[in-house]
Amino acid sequence: MKIAILGLGVIGTTYAYAFQKAGHQVEHVLRDSKKNNAPKELSVDLLDGRYYSKGENKHDTYEVRVAEADSEYDFIFLSVRHGFVKEAVETLRKNNIKGTLVFFCNFWNTRKEVQEWAGDYDYILAFPTAGGHMQENHLYGVLFDHLMLEGEQKAHISNYADLTDLLTSADLKWEVPHDMVEWIWIHMAINAGVTSTAARSGNLENPEELALNLMNSSSELSLAIKAIREALKVVEARGVNLKLYKAELLPYKIPAWIAGKAMKIMFAKNELTRKIMTLHNDKQDIFYCCQSVYQTGQELGVEMPILEANMKGISI
């Protein structure tokens, strides 16, 4: 298949690497100002969780191919920072880049707003389970064996089977939640509870240190569980029936002190999860989750004393 990746960011490039290795033609849609400076290849250090539960360390190279205007693709993956999704689609439209859009990012928006972003493009919502950071021309990443994908009935795209074939070819599985927009809100709420607790006693200039401090402390993790519960009340206040997501939310229902100890053990044993926590260093993206949930909670009158205290301690 012919796949386009918007930009040369960590998430998009990690999946681009997997698709290219599976034999697909992968190209990156770059701004004119970045085309001439784009590297011809990247070195890749990847903890790949697709084949072994503990992950497999891979050291490889990735060939960067730049897309041209007036091109058509089977799928276009958009994994961009908050606030830039609409601009990203406009970039595609301006360059007459055609194909089914795969929105692959955090957003605290409604489905109506997403539809407005897409405009005349067919689109589907998905969510990656990968992360890392880029340093010069070197990708440090983590890739899990699955991702979240909107169900065929809600996606309304004609090539859904082609998308699942693409994922299968790259040895990626997928899970279909009740509603993709609501699932992303829940995911952001959980992130807000975790990251605000990690960041409350330090500066986001060093996210790795903050993540390590959190993962090594059962008491801090217990506090994060309580913050997550408050953040989930914000999602519920937006009209989401959390009972439809019982399986995903079960770990946050048990007593916080037990959950904290269990999470500490999980982080110690699960190298994939531990690695992705320490590699993610986009402080603006981290703060976006926290701020979105917190501001909405204030607007809706949700009581969230722990989250509020956490937010007061964050500096960026």
Side-chain angles (χ1 to χ4, degrees), residues 280-294:
H280 186 42
N281 65 356
D282 186 341
K283 62 181 182 180
Q284 294 297 333
D285 189 55
I286 292 169
F287 191 66
Y288 166 66
C289 284
C290 299
Q291 192 69 13
S292 297
V293 175
Y294 177 60

Side-chain angles (χ1 to χ4, degrees), residues 226-227 229-231 233-234 297-298 300-308:
K226 294 176 182 178
R229 290 173 182 170
E230 292 181 354
K233 288 181 181 178
V234 178
Q298 286 185 313
L300 297 176
V302 178
E303 291 187 12
M304 43 185 183
I306 296 172
L307 197 58
E308 184 172 356

Side-chain angles (χ1 to χ4, degrees), residues 14-311:
T14 299
Y15 283 96
Y17 167 81
F19 295 148
Q20 190 179 87
K21 286 294 180 182
H24 301 282
Q25 180 180 341
V26 183
E27 299 176 351
H28 293 260
V29 180
L30 303 178
R31 295 176 182 174
D32 291 338
S33 60
K34 293 188 176 183
K35 283 183 179 180
N36 293 333
N37 298 323
K40 288 184 168 41
E41 68 175 26
L42 299 173
S43 55
V44 177
D45 275 309
L46 183 69
L47 183 60
D48 189 345
R50 288 177 293 172
Y51 309 106
Y52 303 100
S53 60
K54 293 184 178 181
E56 177 184 10
N57 285 300
K58 291 184 176 178
H59 309 284
D60 206 345
T61 57
Y62 169 71
E63 182 184 354
V64 179
R65 298 176 182 174
V66 178
E68 298 294 334
D70 304 310
S71 298
E72 187 166 355
Y73 298 88
D74 294 289
F75 297 99
I76 306 168
F77 286 80
L78 283 78
S79 178
V80 298
R81 186 183 290 173
H82 68 92
F84 291 96
V85 180
K86 184 178 180 180
E87 180 184 330
V89 178
E90 287 302 318
T91 297
L92 296 173
R93 191 173 284 115
K94 177 183 175 182
N95 288 280
N96 194 32
I97 304 291
K98 298 179 180 179
T100 298
L101 302 183
V102 182
F103 286 117
F104 221 36
C105 44
N106 278 323
F107 53 80
W108 192 244
N109 305 79
T110 64
R111 186 175 292 274
K112 182 180 179 182
E113 290 171 290
V114 177
Q115 289 172 342
E116 290 172 354
W117 295 338
D120 54 350
Y121 280 96
D122 290 336
Y123 75 93
I124 184 170
L125 301 178
F127 199 85
T129 49
H133 68 260
M134 197 87 72
Q135 187 173 337
E136 296 179 347
N137 294 335
H138 200 118
L139 171 65
Y140 299 89
V142 177
L143 179 63
F144 285 73
D145 66 348
H146 69 284
L147 52 79
M148 304 303 296
L149 184 66
E150 190 162 39
E152 185 171 9
Q153 298 304 315
K154 290 191 176 182
H156 299 298
I157 62 173
S158 60
N159 53 347
Y160 192 91
D162 291 337
L163 180 55
T164 56
D165 285 346
L166 171 67
L167 299 177
T168 300
S169 72
D171 297 317
L172 290 164
K173 307 179 186 71
W174 59 93
E175 296 178 22
V176 177
H178 172 74
D179 182 271
M180 200 66 229
V181 171
E182 293 180 353
W183 186 92
I184 292 173
W185 289 353
I186 289 170
H187 173 80
M188 286 183 63
I190 293 170
N191 270 359
V194 171
T195 56
S196 69
T197 303
R200 70 191 173 95
S201 58
N203 193 299
L204 282 177
E205 291 296 338
N206 194 344
E208 180 178 354
E209 181 182 349
L210 296 176
L212 287 170
N213 290 341
L214 176 68
M215 290 188 290
N216 293 333
S217 171
S218 58
S219 60
E220 287 295 293
L221 289 167
S222 295
L223 185 66
I225 293 293
K226 294 176 182 178
I228 288 170
R229 290 173 182 170
E230 292 181 354
L232 288 171
K233 288 181 181 178
V234 178
V235 176
E236 191 170 32
R238 296 188 88 183
V240 177
N241 181 0
L242 297 182
K243 292 180 180 179
L244 297 172
Y245 303 90
K246 288 190 295 184
E248 295 97 321
L249 300 180
L250 184 61
Y252 311 110
K253 297 290 186 181
I254 61 178
W257 68 273
I258 296 176
K261 289 181 181 294
M263 285 182 72
K264 182 180 178 182
I265 294 170
M266 182 274 292
F267 281 126
K269 291 184 175 182
N270 192 319
E271 180 62 21
L272 287 162
T273 304
R274 190 174 183 85
K275 190 81 170 179
I276 203 169
M277 287 280 287
T278 56
L279 282 180
H280 186 42
N281 65 356
D282 186 341
K283 62 181 182 180
Q284 294 297 333
D285 189 55
I286 292 169
F287 191 66
Y288 166 66
C289 284
C290 299
Q291 192 69 13
S292 297
V293 175
Y294 177 60
Q295 286 182 344
T296 301
Q298 286 185 313
E299 293 167 3
L300 297 176
V302 178
E303 291 187 12
M304 43 185 183
I306 296 172
L307 197 58
E308 184 172 356
N310 285 353
M311 292 298 295

